[in-house]
Amino acid sequence: MTDELTASPDQLRQDADDLLRRLVGTPEATFRDGQWEAIEALVAQRRRVLVVQRTGWGKSAVYFVATALRRSQGAGPTLIVSPLLALMRDQVAAAERAGIRALTINSANAEEWTDIAKALAVDEVDVLLVSPERLNNPRFREEQLPDLAARAGLLVVDEAHCVSDWGHDFRPDYRRIRDLLGDLPDDTPVLGTTATANARVVADVAEQLGGGEVLTLRGPLARDSLRLGVLRLPTAQMRLAWLVSHLDELTGSGIIYTLTVSAADDIAALLRDAGHVVRAYTGRTDDAERRAAEEALRDNQVKALVATSALGMGFDKPDLGFVVHVGAPASPIAYYQQVGRAGRATERADVLLLPGIEDVDIWRYFATASMPRQVQADAVLTALAEAGRPMSAAALEAVVDIRRTRLELLLKVLDVDGAVRRVSGGWTATGEPWTYDAERYARVTAAREAEAQSMLDYIASEDCRMAYLQRVLDDPTLDGYAPGSSPLDDRDRSVGGASYVVGDHAAADPGHAEQRTGRCGRCDRCAEPWYPSDVSTEAQQAATGQLARVGVAIEPRAMWPGGMDRLGVDVRGKIPVDERATSGRAVARLTDLGWGQRLREILAPHAADEPVPDAVLTACVDVLRTWGWERRPTGIVAVGSRRRPALVGSLAAGLARIGRLPLLGTLTPVDGGPTGEPGGNSAFRLAGVWDRLAVPPDVRDGLASVAGDTAGSGPTILLVDDLVDSRWTLTVAARALRHAGAGEVLPFALAVVA
């Protein structure tokens, strides 16, 4: 290749064309509009560039070609910050096709880190891919990042919308990139890429990448192959029945997105039972199974993956034939990011949304889970300051009442704000002043609420589906588009003074914005609905049967949380076997598509405390009938409930009557009963219930009067409660009953939280 230090602009372009053809393996390949402009800005001008282009446009081609050109100039390796392992795997494979040596440091290849470090030291690596979390790994941050920052030939921030807390997939660790940018030499080119961002997110990301110094290249969003539709069906049974009836009619293979893990598992099971070849893909799927599922879909060995958002950024299948959503994402931006996976290399791809009435409740839960709370942040900072030494997340749980996942997210937010720092052994307070930015979080909350309403408006809209999404994402190539025309009101659509260019494949002038007519001509608003709305009787019966299934395991706790002595509870290590509960059962998860909806209504915080409905009691009996326990219960005890005494009491009495078992009584709440609210961490939940459930005399007498299965053994007790979250109430209740003479305790509840 020509020495780029002396190469003319024409020679630079020729070398870039040659690299592109090697990358894609096609001698006739040419750059799409905007690709060369980005490469030239990075390589010849050493600029900071933000590329906002739809999925499949070829953002990876920009940074791989730019990498090869920069390496020929004698520059150091490209550092790519990438959010998902699946994305990293695809990028490593693409780099190899172009003769570029790409390696990745991530949690799944720890055994390779030493060899990678050696290869970096001798400059044998062209591209290093890391997750944003890796930027704060103490060893990587101290031993490798300074050298990489000093000699990197190019920094790439992939899925750059994650930098912005306005984005649909904000990740706190991405904000560390701003610090990394400050450590780069002034002439280090920087590329940010994303497929999904509205004007607010584009402005925020451009500002964080360098403000007015950033060249923003933004193309159109509309994809001619996508055929959008929304089919509103009255019940979860009907939505699942539609899939059973019509999945095979959809072209090729595709993705069925759900909002929850339990929904993905349930739908996959239903479709498999109906003869469809599908797999579930969720955040609980281990890495090896994920890889196998991705390959099965790429090779068309399955009709569909039934997936949560865990299958999102980075999955690459250009001929994906369809995307169906069972339940709507929380914003049109997140929706477009997922449907944009389809139709990249096909003439037609079907995109259908099957919304549900439960969607809004699920959106609300996830939205509140991601926002830091001031009282919790203050508690963490106080605990770290008073400790005077590093504390792990596990140790902090015994000091602050925050569940582990929320605690880890909060620590990341405090870290990127400079208030805490991750070090070997845990976290420490920096001593830097920190103020809870209530105004900022209120703005973010309001923006997300507006986006949720915009998703509802998309479902109900009589206008072109594609044009609606273009307006929401501020697509400037839409005919008649003007700032302020988006359904999301009162948003600043400036781009922070950044240079701004719009391009499209068909545009002769890279700066020309191709104007769209505002009508795609294919969706169910521009034309007649393209999808059938009927479902067969057999499919309805199958869906009803699937959703009517009951029975979820409640696994017993086996270990006490660490640090309980700080909370006045003298337990540690393993829970003694003779104090444990046995594996229990619940009717359903609250997130289940079937019984979850009914149980959410009964167990809602403000629902009236009423006797258990007959239909629910029947479902409970079905669970007991199919339990398969080793020893049948010989008596029933209820957990004393502060909120729902009528519900729990009637449930225990009803099961005793139907099962012809003695109702031995109710565990008595002590000093008001268990304290704390659902959602806290294990240590505080255990402390809140410890010694607050007493075994009253009538229950003790009942235990003594009921014989065990064998001589000398205590009775087997069915322990009845309403809702299981942390499992500590059942654990402490079972321990008390075992101490009072029970031989085995079988927990039973109406629902588990997740």
Side-chain angles (χ1 to χ4, degrees), residues 86 89 281 290-298 305 311 315:
R89 290 193 291 267
Y281 187 112
R290 286 194 190 194
R291 292 191 188 202
E294 292 167 12
E295 289 305 312
L297 182 57
R298 283 195 186 93
L305 296 186
L311 182 66
F315 179 74

Side-chain angles (χ1 to χ4, degrees), residues 398 563-571 683 686-687 690-691:
M564 289 306 302
D565 55 322
R566 298 181 183 179
L567 297 174
V569 180
D570 188 21
V571 293
L686 175 57
W690 192 256
D691 287 338

Side-chain angles (χ1 to χ4, degrees), residues 46 67 70-71 73-79 116-128 140 143-155 180 183-189:
R46 311 285 175 84
T67 291
R70 290 285 288 137
R71 291 290 278 168
Q73 294 174 334
T78 290
L79 178 62
I116 293 172
K118 292 178 180 178
L120 285 167
V122 296
D123 200 27
E124 292 180 350
V125 179
D126 298 315
V127 172
L128 180 68
F140 181 80
E143 296 179 7
Q144 292 180 301
L145 190 57
D147 177 65
L148 280 170
R151 65 187 184 91
L154 172 66
L155 172 65
L180 176 58
D183 295 334
L184 297 174
D186 291 340
D187 64 344
T188 303

Side-chain angles (χ1 to χ4, degrees), residues 484-667:
S485 65
S486 167
L488 303 181
D489 297 328
D490 302 322
R491 295 181 301 147
D492 178 11
R493 291 174 175 78
S494 69
V495 291
S499 305
Y500 198 83
V501 178
V502 179
D504 186 73
H505 306 178
D509 180 353
H512 170 70
E514 179 190 7
Q515 294 298 306
R516 299 281 177 173
T517 64
R519 305 290 293 182
C520 72
R522 300 173 304 282
C523 73
D524 60 354
R525 294 309 190 205
C526 291
E528 291 296 317
W530 50 266
Y531 43 81
S533 58
D534 63 297
V535 294
S536 69
T537 301
E538 294 79 5
Q540 291 186 56
Q541 292 173 345
T544 299
Q546 173 70 25
L547 296 179
R549 292 180 183 177
V550 291
V552 175
I554 304 172
E555 296 302 332
R557 291 279 190 178
M559 298 286 294
W560 299 116
M564 289 306 302
D565 55 322
R566 298 181 183 179
L567 297 174
V569 180
D570 188 21
V571 293
R572 62 183 57 83
K574 292 183 178 180
I575 301 174
V577 174
D578 60 0
E579 293 184 354
R580 295 182 194 173
T582 305
S583 179
R585 295 291 187 276
V587 174
R589 306 177 189 89
L590 287 182
T591 54
D592 286 347
L593 292 174
W595 275 99
Q597 174 66 28
R598 179 70 182 274
L599 294 173
R600 283 197 300 272
E601 296 171 356
I602 296 172
L603 299 172
H606 303 297
D609 178 31
E610 297 177 342
V612 61
D614 290 342
V616 176
L617 183 59
T618 299
C620 294
V621 173
D622 289 341
V623 175
L624 299 181
R625 183 182 298 116
T626 59
W627 190 323
W629 44 50
E630 293 183 8
R631 285 179 288 276
R632 186 178 188 273
T634 51
I636 293 179
V637 174
V639 176
S641 174
R642 293 177 297 160
R643 293 182 177 180
R644 307 181 187 94
L647 177 65
V648 177
S650 64
L651 174 60
L655 294 177
R657 182 183 70 254
I658 296 171
R660 298 180 181 179
L661 295 170
L663 179 58
L664 305 183
T666 302
L667 299 183

Side-chain angles (χ1 to χ4, degrees), residues 366-380:
F366 285 118
T368 56
S370 64
M371 300 297 287
R373 300 175 184 174
Q374 181 171 3
V375 64
Q376 294 178 337
D378 291 342
V380 168

Side-chain angles (χ1 to χ4, degrees), residues 671-694:
D671 296 332
T675 61
E677 299 298 324
N681 67 43
S682 280
F684 276 79
R685 292 288 69 75
L686 175 57
V689 73
W690 192 256
D691 287 338
R692 290 180 179 271
L693 287 172

